[in-house]
Amino acid sequence: MSTKRMITSEDLYRMHWVSDPAVSPENGATAYILKSVNDKQDGYITQIRLIKPDGGEDVPFAAGEQDAAPQWSPDGSQLAFLRKKGEANQVWLLPAHGGEAQAVTGLKHGVSAFKWSPDGTALLLRAEVPDDADEAVDGMSKDETKRPQEKIVDRIRCKADGVGLLNNRRTHLFIFNIASKSSEQLTDGAFDIGSFDWSPDGTQIAYTTKLPTEEFADADLRPTNDLYVISREGGEARQLTDGKIRISFISFIPDGKQILMLADDMSCGYATLTRIHLIPAEGGEYRALYTDLDIQLGHSCVSDMRSGAGTPPLYTADQKSVYIQVTQNGRVEIARFALDGSDFEIVAGGDREIYQFALAPDGSFVFAAADPLNPGDLYRMELSTGAETRLTDCNGELWSELELSLPEEFQFTTGDGWPLQGWIIKPVAFKEGTKVPAVLEIHGGPQVMYGHTFMHEFQLLAAAGFAVFYTNPRGGHGYGQKHVNTVRGDYGGRDFQDLIETVDHVLERFPFVDGSRLGVTGGSYGGFMTNWIVGHTDRFRAAVTQRSISNWLSFYGVSDIGYHFTEDQIWGNAWADFDKLWKHSPLAYVKNVTTPLLILHGEQDLRCPIEQGEQLFVALKRLGKQTQLIRFPEANHDLSRSGNPYLRTRRLSHIVRWFDEHIEK
């Protein structure tokens, strides 16, 4: 008889998460971030730990509790990292062989990212530059600073989820000299720095940004950006690209002759697959590699265990190939791409989510990976043999107490001939021969993917007696360009049909699922689709919509991305395409709703602002429908992944409660 217990929402407080592996070029020691919930259960502690070169001893390495982004110096003698004290992150340095960490930068608004120079004598920093408003505040008396200050908004890009209202500061590059402990601003102007990198000889710096063009007088409206190169000594930057691609990452090839760009040509809007592009460092035509490879480059798998993941491309020792993550068929894997375009292979894969990785001096990988029964640990893989060694077991004690349910993968073909991948999780206490209620989960995005990874929400529902099933309908990643592009202009069309056919397939294939006791839930795009579903079918006994979209007309103006996302995804705007936006709005079908609907929304969500949930709630209440709105104070769009831990547990508990109340067990 098993002595293990069911997972609870409060088990979140005991979970740990590993990330940001960084391997010393000196001796192969691995620094990484260990994240845990703080004692007040209202935030997180992030600490740097060190795994000794032999992979045995795992010890605390820095004394801070808000540390991030560890990077070894080129010679491995020092570890640089970001530490938050007060409101801003600064760069700190810690000797590799022990000692006290020291803050080395003191920029007014902190540092958002940094890179070591190739010779280890300097750091390239990305940071906000003080603006006129800062100078005005600096000149105020103490009493004046206590008064409320008006905010003058000139830019359409005036807010960002997780940040709030933006100021007029611009983000620029600085060079910090280690020896003199001084910083010099390298770039300046009415633009913001995106990706950046040093040339291998340290004399040039490449970066991406957006400047106004003849077509886009307002650079905030430009969907693409450009690559520039500037001398380390400053001066005028050279523009290398032609404004026709959207660049997400850049780095110099180790020989310094070319620059690699991860970019897309936006031929399918925001659904366009990312490709490797190469351009001569001195300027010239760029070319895309592996254009016949129908795979998304980078990390596009969703989980409620982390917010943001992925590792920039890393080069092989012989400098002839590059390692890049790829997203396909429910997996996130590491692939090697020959830089001459001749060869591609998966070097680390399997039914899991490899969410970050690093290269060791001996040619091995250290990577962070999660699977359906593990939120994530570090592993070392010998590239020559494929042999793996587990380096951490950060949730071993907690996991030894829990009974979890392993998802079963299934495949089926839709009525119009499209293959779909899905998974089903049986209730933890499932008994053969019985029928059980089930919940359909729908991911956000929609240009992301469910995969072989751990989901606390899914396991909690399985512990509560529900089967859980989920898939990647059209519009999601994992299948290639045609699949991910199909939903654009058709929200609530073929994607809705894919989900209904998934329900039909599950009921036919898994007879233990009771088709009369179904629930549905999802967040963001999944919340939109939940709202759409309850307005178009009564097959579900209960529904929970999370951080959702209900009205594209108002979303256009209130979301931090509404003005460009709506045009790209729905193919219209609020004044020229009123009927189209309303046609695709779940609020237009609110009279049809008979399913009890729970609405969960963060009050500081700027991606799908809470007015989206409020409109739906008011309409449902006015029509006498069964509904409830739960507001989460100070919570943004990332509540389920990185929000206040206490509110995360409350959110999970309300989801289970609603299904328990409205679906018979």
Side-chain angles (χ1 to χ4, degrees):
M1 183 176 178
S2 174
T3 59
K4 292 188 175 184
R5 62 175 177 83
M6 305 288 190
I7 195 170
T8 68
S9 58
E10 290 77 14
D11 281 324
L12 180 78
Y13 300 146
R14 292 177 58 191
M15 291 184 190
H16 296 83
W17 301 271
V18 298
S19 66
D20 299 277
V23 184
S24 168
E26 178 190 31
N27 58 18
T30 300
Y32 71 96
I33 298 295
L34 182 68
K35 179 180 176 181
S36 58
V37 176
N38 65 20
D39 290 340
K40 293 182 179 180
Q41 300 175 350
D42 63 356
Y44 303 91
I45 296 170
T46 54
Q47 296 178 309
I48 298 176
R49 295 183 65 87
L50 187 73
I51 300 174
K52 296 299 180 66
D54 60 5
E57 193 176 9
D58 183 344
V59 297
F61 192 49
E65 294 188 348
Q66 294 294 313
D67 295 345
Q71 291 183 36
W72 293 101
S73 60
D75 63 2
S77 65
Q78 300 181 88
L79 184 74
F81 58 92
L82 295 178
R83 175 171 290 177
K84 188 174 185 179
K85 281 199 167 184
E87 295 299 316
N89 283 313
Q90 301 291 351
V91 178
W92 290 57
L93 289 181
L94 179 64
H97 301 293
E100 293 295 326
Q102 299 291 328
V104 295
T105 65
L107 296 179
K108 183 178 180 67
H109 297 295
V111 176
S112 60
F114 69 94
K115 286 187 179 181
W116 283 97
S117 65
D119 61 7
T121 64
L123 296 168
L124 185 59
L125 314 175
R126 187 179 66 196
E128 283 188 345
V129 178
D131 66 351
D132 293 341
D134 289 308
E135 294 179 7
V137 171
D138 290 342
M140 291 180 182
S141 67
K142 191 172 182 179
D143 288 338
E144 286 177 316
T145 59
K146 294 180 180 179
R147 296 175 180 172
Q149 299 296 319
E150 73 275 16
K151 292 181 173 64
I152 300 174
V153 178
D154 292 314
R155 296 177 61 184
I156 191 170
R157 184 179 177 271
C158 60
K159 58 186 175 181
D161 186 65
V163 177
L165 291 177
L166 301 179
N167 45 54
N168 290 320
R169 301 182 198 124
R170 293 292 186 166
T171 302
H172 283 290
L173 294 176
F174 295 74
I175 295 180
F176 178 84
N177 185 287
I178 301 291
S180 65
K181 297 183 180 179
S182 60
S183 298
E184 290 189 12
Q185 187 172 336
L186 180 66
T187 62
D188 189 28
F191 58 89
D192 298 292
I193 300 297
S195 182
F196 59 93
D197 194 31
W198 294 90
S199 64
D201 64 5
T203 64
Q204 304 289 313
I205 290 164
Y207 63 87
T208 61
T209 193
K210 295 181 180 182
L211 291 177
T213 64
E214 185 175 344
E215 182 180 3
F216 296 100
D218 184 346
D220 285 343
L221 297 177
R222 273 191 64 182
T224 62
N225 55 359
D226 281 302
L227 170 66
Y228 293 81
V229 172
I230 189 171
S231 168
R232 174 177 177 162
E233 305 304 321
E236 187 174 351
R238 294 181 291 116
Q239 181 177 334
L240 270 62
T241 53
D242 57 6
K244 295 180 180 179
I245 56 176
R246 181 176 58 157
I247 309 166
S248 57
F249 171 82
I250 60 167
S251 72
F252 279 90
I253 301 297
D255 65 9
K257 296 178 181 179
Q258 298 184 92
I259 298 174
L260 179 146
M261 303 180 290
L262 292 186
D264 67 76
D265 62 7
M266 296 210 70
S267 56
C268 296
Y270 294 156
T272 311
L273 297 187
T274 302
R275 303 291 187 194
I276 299 171
H277 293 69
L278 294 179
I279 188 169
E282 295 302 317
E285 296 293 322
Y286 56 83
R287 61 191 178 96
L289 304 184
Y290 301 96
T291 55
D292 58 343
L293 193 64
D294 202 17
I295 297 175
Q296 169 69 356
L297 304 189
H299 180 285
S300 298
C301 183
V302 293
S303 167
D304 58 3
M305 290 289 94
R306 62 193 59 84
S307 177
T311 294
L314 299 174
Y315 298 96
T316 58
D318 64 8
Q319 304 182 8
K320 295 181 179 180
S321 299
V322 63
Y323 296 114
I324 300 176
Q325 289 163 293
V326 297
T327 295
Q328 61 175 336
N329 302 321
R331 300 170 166 182
V332 179
E333 304 170 299
I334 303 173
R336 182 187 63 80
F337 296 85
L339 290 170
D340 63 4
S342 64
D343 185 35
F344 154 81
E345 66 172 338
I346 301 295
V347 296
D351 290 343
R352 56 187 172 181
E353 173 208 1
I354 300 178
Y355 55 93
Q356 287 173 326
F357 71 102
L359 288 176
D362 63 0
S364 62
F365 281 106
V366 172
F367 59 80
D371 62 48
L373 298 181
N374 181 8
D377 272 301
L378 294 181
Y379 301 82
R380 176 177 287 121
M381 189 192 81
E382 303 301 327
L383 189 58
S384 59
T385 64
E388 293 184 15
T389 303
R390 186 170 182 168
L391 299 179
T392 64
D393 186 12
C394 66
N395 289 297
E397 181 180 353
L398 172 60
W399 251 236
S400 68
E401 303 173 13
L402 303 179
E403 187 75 31
L404 301 174
S405 185
L406 179 67
E408 177 184 344
E409 183 181 351
F410 60 83
Q411 306 271 350
F412 75 100
T413 302
T414 63
D416 61 346
W418 286 61
L420 288 187
Q421 176 188 34
W423 295 264
I424 187 166
I425 304 175
K426 291 180 179 178
V428 174
F430 176 72
K431 295 181 180 179
E432 292 293 340
T434 62
K435 279 191 170 287
V436 299
V439 174
L440 168 64
E441 289 270 3
I442 309 170
H443 66 62
Q447 285 94 31
V448 293
M449 173 191 76
Y450 274 144
H452 296 282
T453 194
F454 180 81
M455 297 288 288
H456 189 185
E457 180 178 324
F458 296 2
Q459 291 292 337
L460 192 65
L461 286 167
F466 297 93
V468 180
F469 61 103
Y470 48 105
T471 186
N472 292 314
R474 258 161 276 196
H477 276 306
Y479 308 91
Q481 183 63 86
K482 187 176 180 181
H483 183 98
V484 74
N485 189 48
T486 304
V487 74
R488 294 175 64 237
D490 189 40
Y491 273 48
R494 190 59 237 192
D495 48 357
F496 168 65
Q497 190 61 36
D498 281 355
L499 291 167
I500 295 302
E501 291 189 31
T502 299
V503 174
D504 293 338
H505 176 78
V506 165
L507 294 179
E508 179 181 354
R509 181 166 177 174
F510 302 102
F512 59 84
V513 174
D514 187 344
S516 68
R517 293 184 290 160
L518 297 177
V520 59
T521 185
S524 196
Y525 163 80
F528 159 84
M529 187 52 66
T530 299
N531 297 340
W532 187 269
I533 284 173
V534 297
H536 288 79
T537 179
D538 60 1
R539 294 186 66 173
F540 296 90
R541 296 285 294 276
V544 180
T545 184
Q546 309 173 47
R547 57 192 186 282
S548 71
I549 297 169
S550 66
N551 183 352
W552 288 108
L553 290 164
S554 61
F555 178 87
Y556 186 95
V558 298
S559 168
D560 63 343
I561 62 171
Y563 59 93
H564 57 86
F565 186 84
T566 308
E567 292 183 0
D568 182 80
Q569 298 290 300
I570 309 300
W571 295 351
N573 60 48
W575 55 92
D577 306 285
F578 184 97
D579 290 343
K580 179 184 292 185
L581 267 58
W582 186 241
K583 173 186 174 183
H584 289 282
S585 296
L587 193 63
Y589 309 95
V590 69
K591 286 184 178 180
N592 302 334
V593 176
T594 60
T595 306
L597 180 65
L598 175 64
I599 302 168
L600 306 180
H601 225 114
E603 292 186 341
Q604 298 303 315
D605 189 336
L606 298 182
R607 183 60 39 83
C608 297
I610 194 170
E611 61 87 27
Q612 293 287 304
E614 290 173 330
Q615 288 188 66
L616 185 59
F617 173 74
V618 169
L620 289 169
K621 291 297 288 186
R622 178 65 181 83
L623 291 168
K625 311 288 186 176
Q626 195 165 4
T627 187
Q628 186 177 74
L629 170 64
I630 298 180
R631 307 168 64 102
F632 295 95
E634 300 179 12
N636 61 38
H637 200 64
D638 257 355
L639 169 64
S640 65
R641 299 174 284 253
S642 61
N644 179 299
Y646 173 73
L647 293 181
R648 286 176 70 180
T649 66
R650 297 307 303 148
R651 167 190 162 273
L652 290 168
S653 296
H654 282 300
I655 293 170
V656 175
R657 171 187 64 82
W658 191 260
F659 287 131
D660 274 341
E661 289 176 355
H662 297 283
I663 302 177
E664 297 175 5
K665 292 288 185 67

